[in-house]
Amino acid sequence: MTVTDVGEFGLIDRVTARLAQGESCLLGPGDDGAVVAAPDRRVVASTDVLVEGRHFRRDWSAARDVGHRAAAANLADIAAMGATPTALLVALCMPAELDPAWAEELADGLGAEAALVGASVVGGDMSASPTLTIAVTALGDLAGRPPVVRSGARPGDVVALAGRTGWAAAGYTVLSRGFRTPRLLVEAFRRPEVPYAAGPAAAAAGATAMIDVSDGLLADLGHVATASGVAIDLRREAFEVPRQMRDAAQALGVDPYTWILAGGEDHALAATFPGDAALPDGWQPVGRVAAGAGVTVDGGGYDGPRGWDHFRRTAE
């Protein structure tokens, strides 16, 4: 069976029947638009896209895994603004010969990841396309707080990290070399573990700037440094190399700090806090903000890759 056999509206019915709706959803799929509660009277919005062959491969990840990744990439952006995610809108463009079961399992992954934060998949669109593409828009609520933006870091601030970095990049390297183990690293690539609650917690604790680490810690902190007009220096010793990552790096001939400092898609959160602030649970100090420009490691330049550029094949 293919999506052509089921038809657009038949597939929509099959997919939406699998999606539970949370408290923020006042009107879900089925009308021209959904209705989502916005108690704060402001809505944080972010969108991201996953393209087969560029962001995922069906021989590497099951449809449910891709759903988790697609949702996580957007939900993490909402958390990085200090907000709580409330809803997702999903556009799915797919080849006509795709098995409808793949789309249904994708919806399961999207719904399960959204449920982790009490959000819902409230609507979207479907279309035929030669390239399997998933575009997701996430909405979120600030709960009365100002958004935490990239431009607020100041000299003297502490740079802190919530979540892990390097795991997804290590899993990608393992898969790209034709292996399927270590399983912990491969699973980290397939389904990131995002510290969603750390975003609102950082906002409540007075974070001055924050960002989702999707393209690599050095690259993404570079955005904070540029937006804030400051320099950021990271301490290499602040990053522990887990045993599984160290062993895989040795076997593959890779410096594990390349994964940790330049690897993306774990969707950790990086933030800056006033120097005298108490960091919330789950946040670890990894560096300092100073006057100047750019991002350095241990006070000097870093000559390895700095992160992912979507218009190039490799990190730079």
Side-chain angles (χ1 to χ4, degrees):
M1 183 180 294
T2 69
V3 293
T4 298
D5 299 322
V6 175
E8 176 185 359
F9 299 106
L11 184 59
I12 289 173
D13 289 342
R14 292 171 67 150
V15 166
T16 55
R18 308 170 81 93
L19 298 171
Q21 301 303 315
E23 293 182 1
S24 295
C25 178
L26 305 181
L27 180 65
D31 270 86
D32 289 340
V35 180
V36 179
D40 183 78
R41 298 176 63 188
R42 297 170 297 170
V43 176
V44 179
S46 180
T47 193
D48 203 358
V49 63
L50 272 70
V51 179
E52 184 177 19
R54 187 69 177 181
H55 302 99
F56 68 93
R57 285 173 44 171
R58 278 184 275 169
D59 59 330
W60 284 4
S61 301
R64 190 179 180 100
D65 295 328
V66 177
H68 276 274
R69 287 188 65 209
N74 290 271
L75 297 170
D77 283 336
I78 300 300
M81 298 298 293
T84 300
T86 56
L88 295 177
L89 296 160
V90 182
L92 176 60
C93 302
M94 69 204 111
E97 66 274 12
L98 185 73
D99 187 333
W102 197 93
E104 292 173 347
E105 291 169 15
L106 174 77
D108 290 342
L110 288 161
E113 190 71 24
L116 294 177
V117 292
S120 313
V121 180
V122 299
D125 193 19
M126 292 183 181
S127 177
S129 168
T131 303
L132 182 54
T133 304
I134 305 140
V136 181
T137 296
L139 308 177
D141 182 73
L142 286 163
R145 295 183 296 268
V148 184
V149 295
R150 300 177 180 184
S151 58
R154 297 292 179 263
D157 284 355
V158 173
V159 181
L161 186 72
R164 60 192 191 182
T165 64
W167 287 70
Y172 173 83
T173 303
V174 169
L175 287 165
S176 66
R177 299 285 183 90
F179 302 107
R180 294 293 186 270
T181 58
R183 186 173 179 83
L184 281 176
L185 300 180
V186 171
E187 289 302 320
F189 170 78
R190 290 172 172 159
R191 294 191 190 184
E193 296 182 5
V194 185
Y196 296 116
T208 54
M210 188 156 47
I211 194 168
D212 159 43
V213 183
S214 57
D215 295 325
L217 184 60
L218 292 173
D220 288 319
L221 283 176
H223 299 318
V224 173
T226 299
S228 298
V230 298
I232 291 176
D233 185 58
L234 299 177
R235 295 181 293 107
R236 187 187 299 253
E237 68 178 13
F239 301 93
E240 178 184 356
V241 181
R243 177 184 57 80
Q244 299 91 337
M245 189 183 297
R246 183 178 64 249
D247 292 346
Q250 183 175 5
L252 297 171
V254 176
D255 178 356
Y257 285 99
T258 298
W259 292 332
I260 291 170
L261 295 175
E265 296 193 311
D266 284 297
H267 298 292
L269 301 180
T272 58
F273 295 84
D276 58 354
L279 297 183
D281 289 345
W283 287 89
Q284 298 296 324
V286 295
R288 280 279 180 180
V289 179
V295 181
T296 54
V297 179
D298 293 333
Y302 180 75
D303 58 6
R306 302 185 72 85
W308 180 256
D309 184 320
H310 290 275
F311 290 94
R312 295 183 172 90
R313 281 291 180 186
T314 59
E316 66 172 18

